[in-house]
Amino acid sequence: MSRNISKEQQIEEAKRRLKKLSKTFNLDPIILNDFEQGKTKVCRNNELIDLDLLPEYKKLVSDFENEYDHVVYYCVEERFSFGNCLSLLCVGDIKMYWNTERLFYYGYDYRKADIYMISTYTYNLSDPDCSEFGDIRIASKDGCLIRIG
């Protein structure tokens, strides 16, 4: 499909999503503040790092944004038994799909813990052929948004 909205509209939507995530998860304000200044944060080992300081990730994000016409507003690095992953929270270029990309409340688990999900593109850094769009479960830790499933 062709791009039907501007990059500026995607950036404004990304800011709205970060505001909602910040309120829901009590995130470090630097995440939104830096994004408003054109910088994207990566959560790595429960620490916030500027994407610009990670050249290999910056290239992945840039290539993804160019290939799919998306705007990435936050990244989460996680290690799993199936490989190291980088999940990209992003805004697509087709507005009618935005509701499916946004944060949604899924209910609660057997421990009565709230389940929040969000759509991402996840790079499997160990096996790039297994990279995919999909939903991940998220939570917060020490002001960072983290992936828990």
Side-chain angles (χ1 to χ4, degrees), residues 15 20 23-24 31 56 82 94 114 125:
K15 290 176 188 177
K20 168 112 176 155
K23 183 178 178 183
T24 303
I31 297 169
E56 67 280 9
F82 54 84
I94 301 172
D114 289 329
L125 302 166

Side-chain angles (χ1 to χ4, degrees), residues 48-133:
L48 291 172
I49 301 170
D50 287 338
L51 180 63
D52 291 342
L53 299 176
L54 303 167
E56 67 280 9
Y57 288 178
K58 185 173 180 163
K59 181 172 179 359
L60 284 175
V61 168
S62 177
D63 290 349
F64 169 81
E65 288 180 325
N66 290 330
E67 182 175 349
Y68 292 102
D69 291 325
H70 282 47
V71 169
V72 174
Y73 58 91
Y74 188 80
C75 305
V76 181
E77 179 191 77
E78 288 294 334
R79 300 181 197 302
F80 296 100
S81 60
F82 54 84
N84 297 337
C85 293
L86 184 67
S87 295
L88 311 179
L89 280 67
C90 52
V91 178
D93 65 329
I94 301 172
K95 193 171 184 176
M96 66 184 262
Y97 295 143
W98 284 2
N99 277 339
T100 64
E101 297 173 354
R102 293 180 180 131
L103 176 71
F104 62 95
Y105 181 73
Y106 194 74
Y108 56 89
D109 62 18
Y110 68 94
R111 298 178 309 247
K112 304 293 186 202
D114 289 329
I115 299 173
Y116 286 95
M117 306 289 285
I118 197 162
S119 292
T120 67
Y121 183 82
T122 299
Y123 275 107
N124 185 322
L125 302 166
S126 303
D127 185 359
D129 290 338
C130 292
S131 301
E132 64 184 355
F133 284 96

